[in-house]
Structure formats: C-alpha cells, structure tokens
Amino acid sequence: MISPEEFDDAVSELVNVGVGRAAASLATMVKERIELSVPKLMTVPYQELTQHLGLVHELDTQAEVSLVQQAFGGRLSGSASILFPIASARHLVELLTDGALSAEELDLELEAALAEVGNILINSVLGTLGNITGLEVSFHLPEYRQCLVQNLEFSLGTHDLLLAVVLVSISGQEIKGYLLLLFDLPSMETLKEAIQRMAGDQS
Amino acid sequence: MTETSSPYQILDFVSNGCCIIGESGRIVFWNRTLEQWTKLTLGELAEKNLFEAFPNLALPRFKERILGVLQTGAPTFFSSTLNPEFFPCRRPNGRPRIQQTALNRLRSPAGESLVLITISDVTDQHERGEKYRAARAQAMAEAQTRGESEALYRLVVGLSTAAILICDPQGRILDSNPAAGQIFHASQEELARLSLTDLLAERHGETIRQMLEEGHMPGEGGLECHGLKRQGGAFPLELILKSFSAGAQRRFVAYIHDTTERKRAEQAVRYAQKQESLGALAGGIAHDFNNLFGGVLGSLDLCEGKLDPHAPAKPYLERIRGEMLRAAELSHKMLAFSGLGRFALASLDLNPLLEQLCPELTPDLTKNALLRCRFAGHLPPIEADPSQIRLLVQSLVSNSAEALNNELGTIDLITGVQDLDAETLRLACPGQSLTPGRHVTLEVADTGCGISAENLPRIFDPFFSTKFAGRGLSLAVAQGILRGHKAGFAISSAVGVGTRFKLFFPALPSTLEETPKRESPRQLLSGRILLVDDEPVLRETVKELLESLGYAVSTAKDGVEAVTYFRAHQGEIALVIMDLTMPNMDGHEAFRRIRELDPGARVILSSGFSENDAIFHFQDEGISAFLPKPYRLSQLEATVATFVKP
C-alpha cells in the first residue's frame, strides 16, 4: 500500500503533466508567454479547506473568489475546480484579453473568460490523469460561480480533497490560482489503487 | 454519411448552432440553424474537413483543443470573450454573431468517436451588455454633471450673505446655506427640523402659508417682515419666495436678506435730514430773534439814557434787559445747535484746552461726581474753534452730571487717536458723513442712569429732555457744534450702567494758520457812518444810539441802497456798519462792491448769525470788525470808537 506522501507525490506528477499541457493550450490563445508553475499538492479534508487557505495561503476568509467547477464521472467521480481570488481573476482576464476591456466590460466578461480558462486547465489535468491511469473519466461542462472563501465548503460538497496550488505567470506577472480536485471516497480508493498498480508495474 | 442516413436530424429543430465532426475534423452534420447563420448548407459542407472549411479553426489554439475532445472526451468550452467567432458569420443587421461554443464527445451508432459542437448565439446578451454599459456610462456622465452642478450650486449658495432656505409646500426646511444659520443664530441641523414660519414673527404666519399655497409672492418685490433669532430677538428682513419643481415635487426657495443694517442706515439718514431741517429752522429763528433782540436792547439803552438815574422805572428796565439777555443766550444756543454758523477754526491741541477746562467744570458737578481725566500724549491737532469745543465739553459733562442723579458716580474724559476706515465709520457713526482717516477722539463717559433704547434716537432733538428742569438743549448744541466741525460721534448706553459719548475729530496733518485775519485799527477817521440793515426798528434804534454818541449816521435798508449811497458819498463815509442777511443784495455782495469803490473802506459786519460765520465768508477780504447781534450800546460804542471819531 502506498503511503499518503507517495500518493500525493504521484498525483503531483500527473497534475504537473496536465498543467504543462494546459500552459501550452493557454499559450496558443495569447501572444504573451505563459508559464504554469509546478503544482504543490496536498490532501486536505474539505472541512479544513477554508482554514487551510487562510493559514497556509493567507487568503482572507471574507474575500470573494471566482470558482470554475467541472464535474466528472465514470471510474473516477467528483469535481475539479479552479479558484482565483477575484482580483487575480480580473487580472488574469485582463491579460488574456490584452487589456482591451474596460473595467465594466471586464466584470461582465469575467465569467465566460474564466470558464474557458478553467476548462482548459481542468481538461488538461483530468485528461492527463485519466489517460495515464487508464481510468475512464467522463466530464461535464464547466460552471462558474463566485463565493466567499469561508463559504467554499458549501460549494464543494462533502468530498475529500486534493489541493494543488498552481501559479499562473503571464509575461512575468504572477497570478496565483488553486486547483481543487475532489474525489468521492470510492474514487479516491480507485485512484490510489491505480497509482499503486502503476508503481508496481514500473517497479 | 448522407443526409438521409443522419440520425442527428433532430438537431435541426434546435435553436443553437450544432455541428458534428468525426475523426480528423470531418464534418458529419451541420444543422439548419448553422445553415441559416452561415449561409452554408450541409450539402456544401458534408464530408469536408472542418479545418479546411473554416481556416480560423486550423489555428493551434482551436485545432488542438478540438482534436483533444476527440482523443480525451473532455468537454471543451470556448468563451464568447476569448473566442467569440467560432464559425464566423454575421447577423442580419451586419454585426458579427457573438458565439459561445461547447464541444462534447459522443459516439455514433456505429461506435465512432464524434464531437458535437454546440454554438450559442449570445449576441443579444452582448448587445444588452453594451446598451447597459452605454446607459451606465451616460448615467455616470450625467451624475458627474449633476455633481458639478451641485458643487456650483453649493459654492454660490455658500457664498451668499443672504439666507437661502429650500422648503416643501408645507414650509418645512429641507436645505439651508451657512448664511441662514448666521442670520437666525441656528445650526443647519436645527434649521432642518424647523419650518419657514418658525423663523418669522407669528403675525406673518398666515401670509407665508398663503404664499406657499398659491406658489408665488403677492405683488412685485420682497415681503418686508420680521424674523426671529433662535436665541430670542426679532430683526427686520426682506423675504423673496419662489417656487420651482424638483422632479415631480414642488419646492420653494426662500431668499432672506437681513435688513437690520439697511433700516439702521435709513433711520440714520432720516434722522440726519430731520436734524438738518431742525437746524435750519432753529438757525433762521435764532437769526431773526437776534435782530429783534437787538432792536429791543438798543431801545432799552436809549430809554435808559433818557431817564433820570433814579427813575422808578429803571429797575423794571433792568429786569427787561436781564430777561432779554437770557433770551439772547437761548437764541445763541439755538444758533449753535443749527451748526449753520462757521466757527473760528484754527489748529487746536485738544489736551491743553481740556486741562484748562477741567478745573472750571468741577464746581458745577455734584459732590458725588468724580471727574477723571485720561489724556493720550502727542495728540495730532484738530481744526476747531476753542470756544465751541469748550461749550461742547461743558454740554456733555453737564449732561453726564445730570445722569448721575446726585448719586455716587464717575465722569471720564478720555482723549485718544484712532485710525478709522470707511466701514468702521459707517458702523460707528451711521448717517454721519465722516472722511476715513486719522481722528482725534474724545470720550465722555459716565456711570449714570443711562439712556433707554427708546429715548436714544431722540436725545439730540432740541428741547427733548427726560429731566424735569432740563431745557433739552445741551446735547442738541453739542451735536450742532460737532456738525460745524465735521466731527462725528458714537453713543453707547445701557440703563443703570451709564452712557459713553465718543467724539471723532478729523486730525490735521499740520497746524493750520489762524484764519481770522482782522485788520488792525488804523488811524481814527472823522466822517459819517453808513448803517445798513433791513430791520427798520433795529436800524432806527442803532442810528439813534450812534447819534447819541455824537456820530453822523446815514442808513440804508439793503445792499443796493448802501452801495448806491457809498458811491454817491465816497470820501464822506468813514465807516460802514453792515448787516449780513438782507434782501436784494446781501452784506457780502455789498461789502465787495464797496471795497471795489474804495479798497480802504472800513466795514464792520453785524449779524444775527455767529461772528464766525461772517469771518468764514470774509476771511480773505479783511473785514474791520464784527458786531454780533444783539449788541449793547457799550459794545457798539467800543467797537465803533476804534475806527471813527465822533
């Protein structure tokens, strides 16, 4: 049986591959150079998410965040979300639209643009995860919502949680985003088994 | 794949654009909505490659993600923000059709991997957003304009010295400017709790309510009424009320001007005019009386001269003379009050005069009154007549002494220097025409009974007195003297506390020369005296008096007769005694004509006005002497004897 640390490490690598693809995909959309950092991944119980974001990542629990959530089913069931503090979300869309939008337009277009960015990131990560583990994953289209950090738990539901912190850097301007992968308990076990099997195959 | 075999025809009934592609981007289905939008038919596109039919989708940003859906099955989303024209096409109005695109993998009945491309037309949504943004921008611009307008309104209203109140139709105050707070002695918060009628005297309430109801002022101009200060006290104001519409609501703006100062100035002008009229009247009467008294006194002298020194009638004649002299004194005071006479103005240092005068004043004061003097050093000189200033100070000190009512008190005499600007003079001496600049001040202050506000405006009226025994001329005389010196005054008084008179004399930059230039008596001449006077009684009496002294006298009843006579008898006339005020030709003109005929002619002027009035008019022309009316035989004899031998 793999240890929790080994599990986190393995999923980190898978997510890293997915994020790399996402970066390539995003880069095709803008002229600017896009870099996505190596994600730091950890498993956090959903009840502790707010506390964790506040303590470790210094997110104000009263702050508003943009959340793009994409549910998936099949052998792995749960949802993947990409989360940006609202100011970071605005900044990201501003950079992606090359500063062509006014502040008011930015507010109106935020939802659509972030939904697309989230879709690219989540597709890349989950697609990679499904391909490499051989676990078939079926996706739903992304949903966008805004909520306070302290209300995230209600938005995410009762799942165990994998939290990946991804730094998006466009033309050297760093924008911090958080990838949240939520699995139901059977899916988590399936994923662990798949990873263990992969580890066994490799060894 | 053909149209007939398509199991996807149900998508023709979907309002979204739907396209299905197979491996490598082969177009499998193209629904009617897309046909309508792009004008491209399924027949034209079927089996063609998506990336060839739509070259924009061959770009990596599209192609990789589209093919990725085929490979991974991950639903993919192209937003209307970042990728608004998936299938470039236009709406009927020519504007680009804004699209939001979702790609989902599905399986054909034969098990082939396909991608369903679903296009939502979000153009309307975008246009609504644009309209919203435009409307919002316009609203913001209007708000900014309103803000600027509001700022300008606040600035103008804030600068106004008049109170400006915004009221509703019930008179409730909705807004006010700072001046309103100052005028009514209330904070703007307090005003906001009040009604317009709360700020006005109760008797105006009905008028105001009617104005608010009818929405306009009665007639032209403002409404004169009385306002109420919140801490008590009424004041005159002028109210202009105008209605206006604030949206659907009716509002009123009340423009209120505090007219206290204006009323005070008007009152001061009226008072000055009244005093001037009174002065002219008093001066005229005094002049005529002096002429009459002259006749009576002269006749008395003649009468006495013809009586035996021990005649029983003599004491009665003495009594008549005494009363006549008192009447003459009164007449002189009236003349002084009139201020019409000019004084023997000379450069005068006030302090030495007062120092000399104070010991003389003390005996007249009661034993309870303490006279205290405080004179400022180095006073600039003033242009004044010493005798008149003495009379002025005597009048004021006498008035103060009487105000003490035999009770313990003080009278202060204080001199000083003060630079006064026009505004200070306007406030301190309303209605008095003083010239701004340096002034020598003289204060006479007492701790007496004070003057009530009701009586204050009347204290300078001649014969106005609150004292049983008073004749009421001392302050009238004082005012006349001040007027004659172009000096001003200010009074402050409180009942039970005392009264303070402050006099302002224009300071002189340098000492004036003594103005009266009298000709020194020259060698005594022999000859006839020409007596010129329009008063027949006086003329005859004086003629008789002079003749009784041994002089030869001719008379003339006016200037014309005098000049004619002088011309006819030039060389015979040693002296002319000339009245000043006469019909046809006055003494001034006659004097000039006579001097033209004989520059060395000796002329004594005589007048019922003051000597100084005469001197003022003749100061550069060398009159020989002046005889104030009424004069005694002894005065006449002494004056005439310096010029002519009997």
Side-chain angles (χ1 to χ4, degrees):
Chain A
M1 193 71 183
I2 60 167
S3 67
E5 290 76 22
E6 286 171 331
F7 173 75
D8 284 354
D9 191 45
V11 177
S12 287
E13 188 177 336
L14 296 177
V15 170
N16 187 27
V17 175
V19 167
R21 289 182 181 172
S25 194
L26 282 173
T28 62
M29 294 168 60
V30 292
K31 293 173 189 168
E32 307 289 347
R33 194 161 55 90
I34 291 190
E35 290 172 358
L36 297 178
S37 69
V38 177
K40 286 172 68 179
L41 191 131
M42 63 204 72
T43 304
V44 180
Y46 81 95
Q47 300 95 325
E48 296 172 15
L49 177 64
T50 300
Q51 192 185 5
H52 178 84
L53 288 172
L55 288 174
V56 179
H57 299 286
E58 296 177 350
L59 268 182
D60 182 1
T61 56
Q62 297 293 322
E64 201 173 18
V65 289
S66 291
L67 192 71
V68 180
Q69 197 171 34
Q70 210 167 323
F72 55 85
R75 294 287 305 282
L76 289 178
S77 175
S79 72
S81 305
I82 181 87
L83 179 151
F84 292 101
I86 201 86
S88 299
R90 287 172 61 87
H91 194 189
L92 176 61
V93 175
E94 204 174 3
L95 289 170
L96 289 173
T97 54
D98 205 19
L101 301 178
S102 69
E104 291 173 344
E105 287 170 327
L106 204 62
D107 286 339
L108 290 167
E109 304 296 341
L110 196 65
E111 176 178 342
L114 275 183
E116 186 170 347
V117 172
N119 178 239
I120 291 168
L121 269 166
I122 291 167
N123 281 1
S124 298
V125 171
L126 281 181
T128 305
L129 201 66
N131 281 346
I132 294 176
T133 58
L135 298 170
E136 191 184 341
V137 183
S138 60
F139 300 93
H140 296 269
L141 278 167
E143 284 179 33
Y144 176 87
R145 68 184 65 160
Q146 288 183 357
C147 67
L148 299 180
V149 171
Q150 64 185 9
N151 296 332
L152 272 173
E153 294 156 14
F154 302 106
S155 298
L156 300 174
T158 55
H159 296 85
D160 262 353
L161 189 67
L162 284 172
L163 172 67
V165 178
V166 182
L167 300 177
V168 182
S169 171
I170 300 179
S171 293
Q173 298 190 52
E174 199 170 81
I175 294 162
K176 193 181 273 187
Y178 303 84
L179 179 67
L180 311 173
L181 299 172
L182 296 95
F183 298 96
D184 58 20
L185 290 175
S187 297
M188 193 68 109
E189 289 305 315
T190 305
L191 185 60
K192 281 180 183 173
E193 284 170 11
I195 289 173
Q196 192 164 358
R197 193 168 54 248
M198 283 170 61
D201 290 346
Q202 283 175 359
S203 64
Chain B
M1 188 75 61
T2 62
E3 289 181 50
T4 51
S5 65
S6 174
Y8 312 115
Q9 277 183 327
I10 191 166
L11 295 176
D12 280 335
F13 303 99
V14 175
S15 60
N16 287 349
C18 297
C19 168
I20 295 174
I21 58 169
E23 193 182 353
S24 303
R26 179 176 51 90
I27 297 173
V28 174
F29 183 75
W30 186 256
N31 80 342
R32 284 183 185 166
T33 304
L34 280 177
E35 285 183 339
Q36 198 180 351
W37 289 356
T38 62
K39 310 299 178 201
L40 296 169
T41 63
L42 176 60
E44 290 172 295
L45 293 173
E47 299 301 324
K48 285 190 176 170
N49 184 280
L50 178 75
F51 305 112
E52 289 171 5
F54 297 96
N56 63 304
L57 298 180
L59 295 170
R61 60 188 288 192
F62 290 103
K63 190 173 182 179
E64 286 176 9
R65 292 178 68 193
I66 293 168
L67 295 177
V69 181
L70 272 172
Q71 290 157 10
T72 65
T76 295
F77 173 74
F78 291 91
S79 69
S80 57
T81 306
L82 301 177
N83 298 293
E85 292 185 271
F86 196 87
F87 292 125
C89 54
R90 294 188 174 271
R91 302 196 82 184
N93 61 8
R95 299 192 64 177
R97 196 179 291 275
I98 310 295
Q99 303 157 30
Q100 185 171 284
T101 310
L103 284 73
N104 285 280
R105 192 170 69 174
L106 49 85
R107 299 271 176 198
S108 73
E112 184 191 5
S113 278
L114 301 171
V115 172
L116 170 63
I117 303 171
T118 311
I119 312 280
S120 301
D121 181 354
V122 294
T123 313
D124 289 341
Q125 195 178 320
H126 270 252
E127 284 182 350
R128 276 198 297 274
E130 279 174 15
K131 282 179 186 168
Y132 163 77
R133 286 193 290 274
R136 190 160 184 270
Q138 189 181 350
M140 285 178 72
E142 285 173 1
Q144 187 181 351
T145 307
R146 272 200 306 277
E148 286 166 2
S149 175
E150 172 80 8
L152 183 63
Y153 158 78
R154 288 280 160 208
L155 179 68
V156 172
V157 165
L159 285 173
S160 171
T161 54
I164 297 175
L165 303 171
I166 306 295
C167 307
D168 69 7
Q170 285 71 47
R172 286 188 292 256
I173 296 167
L174 306 174
D175 196 5
S176 61
N177 68 339
Q182 287 160 11
I183 287 175
F184 290 103
H185 289 187
S187 67
Q188 284 178 284
E189 292 74 25
E190 191 181 353
L191 288 172
R193 294 192 293 272
L194 298 173
S195 161
L196 181 58
T197 49
D198 295 332
L199 299 176
L200 302 173
E202 203 177 337
R203 62 180 180 278
H204 306 303
E206 190 49 44
T207 312
I208 299 300
R209 274 186 284 276
Q210 197 176 343
M211 282 160 62
L212 290 169
E213 197 174 303
E214 293 174 1
H216 61 82
M217 301 280 299
E220 296 291 319
L223 178 72
E224 301 269 350
C225 50
H226 277 85
L228 301 173
K229 294 191 188 295
R230 297 307 295 163
Q231 293 156 347
F235 65 99
L237 60 81
E238 185 182 52
L239 166 70
I240 295 171
L241 200 65
K242 297 275 181 197
S243 71
F244 67 98
S245 297
Q249 291 172 316
R250 194 179 186 201
R251 294 280 181 262
F252 290 86
V253 57
Y255 183 86
I256 295 169
H257 185 63
D258 182 349
T259 56
T260 306
E261 280 302 317
R262 193 181 78 197
K263 296 275 180 197
R264 195 175 290 157
E266 286 172 357
Q267 195 177 10
V269 168
R270 277 198 301 275
Y271 179 75
Q273 287 169 341
K274 188 184 84 173
Q275 292 300 93
E276 199 177 327
S277 304
L278 274 174
L281 178 68
I285 292 172
H287 168 262
D288 287 356
F289 274 16
N290 284 341
N291 273 336
L292 298 175
F293 296 153
V296 175
L297 283 172
S299 298
L300 273 175
D301 284 340
L302 285 172
C303 185
E304 262 189 333
K306 294 183 190 307
L307 284 177
D308 181 89
H310 304 291
K314 278 208 102 175
Y316 300 109
L317 292 178
E318 270 306 317
R319 195 180 296 169
I320 292 169
R321 180 182 289 113
E323 290 305 302
M324 284 311 298
L325 288 174
R326 285 186 61 193
E329 186 190 351
L330 188 59
S331 179
H332 277 299
K333 283 187 174 175
M334 285 171 64
L335 201 59
F337 157 72
S338 76
L340 294 176
R342 300 295 189 273
F343 306 117
L345 300 176
S347 177
L348 173 73
D349 186 344
L350 196 56
N351 283 347
L353 182 137
L354 294 173
E355 281 160 6
Q356 186 188 10
L357 181 61
C358 282
E360 296 173 25
L361 293 170
T362 311
D364 293 335
L365 304 179
T366 63
K367 61 180 179 182
N368 291 330
L370 174 65
L371 183 67
R372 302 185 300 194
C373 299
R374 198 165 73 242
F375 303 145
H378 308 295
L379 283 186
I382 60 172
E383 189 177 30
D385 181 335
S387 65
Q388 296 297 319
I389 298 299
R390 289 174 70 91
L391 180 59
L392 170 71
V393 177
Q394 280 166 346
S395 297
L396 291 176
V397 171
S398 156
N399 190 70
S400 290
E402 287 171 9
L404 293 176
N405 285 335
N406 290 322
E407 291 179 7
L408 194 65
T410 57
I411 299 169
D412 289 323
L413 268 181
I414 305 163
T415 60
V417 184
Q418 202 172 341
D419 289 314
L420 298 169
D421 58 25
E423 181 63 12
T424 310
L425 284 172
R426 188 182 68 79
L427 294 172
C429 312
Q432 303 171 48
S433 50
L434 299 183
T435 308
R438 175 156 289 199
H439 285 73
V440 172
T441 61
L442 169 60
E443 290 176 65
V444 182
D446 65 64
T447 55
C449 58
I451 305 164
S452 70
E454 181 191 351
N455 285 335
L456 205 55
R458 303 183 60 199
I459 57 170
F460 290 117
D461 288 355
F463 307 110
F464 174 79
S465 175
T466 56
K467 296 178 277 286
F468 178 75
R471 188 167 277 140
L473 270 177
S474 59
L475 291 181
V477 167
Q479 193 192 30
I481 294 169
L482 287 170
R483 207 160 43 222
H485 284 78
K486 295 188 174 64
F489 61 90
I491 313 161
S492 56
S493 185
V495 173
V497 177
T499 303
R500 177 179 296 267
F501 287 88
K502 188 167 185 179
L503 315 179
F504 302 96
F505 295 93
L508 285 179
S510 59
T511 309
L512 280 183
E513 288 181 14
E514 289 287 336
T515 46
K517 292 176 186 170
R518 302 191 185 196
E519 187 182 321
S520 305
R522 290 177 292 188
Q523 187 186 357
L524 289 178
L525 299 176
S526 297
R528 180 168 290 276
I529 294 174
L530 175 60
L531 174 67
V532 191
D533 202 305
D534 61 326
E535 283 291 330
V537 173
L538 188 65
R539 194 167 62 235
E540 288 309 312
T541 307
V542 175
K543 180 174 182 283
E544 210 172 319
L545 282 170
L546 288 171
E547 285 172 346
S548 72
L549 295 171
Y551 294 103
V553 181
S554 297
T555 58
K557 68 175 189 301
D558 56 33
V560 175
E561 248 187 47
V563 173
T564 307
Y565 186 89
F566 191 88
R567 189 184 291 115
H569 300 86
Q570 210 166 344
E572 296 174 24
I573 298 166
L575 179 68
V576 181
I577 300 174
M578 175 99 75
D579 184 24
L580 263 181
T581 313
M582 294 180 295
N584 299 327
M585 184 190 290
D586 65 15
H588 188 230
E589 182 60 26
F591 173 82
R592 288 176 195 275
R593 299 276 182 94
I594 288 170
R595 275 293 170 89
E596 279 173 13
L597 294 171
D598 177 7
R602 295 178 177 190
V603 181
I604 295 174
L605 289 175
S606 176
S607 176
F609 289 123
S610 70
E611 171 185 6
N612 307 303
D613 188 34
I615 290 168
F616 178 80
H617 283 101
F618 295 85
Q619 56 187 333
D620 295 326
E621 299 173 52
I623 60 166
S624 304
F626 183 80
L627 262 177
K629 290 180 184 176
Y631 45 81
R632 300 281 311 277
L633 175 61
S634 53
Q635 279 177 277
L636 178 68
E637 184 181 6
T639 307
V640 171
T642 56
F643 298 98
V644 193
K645 288 189 284 192

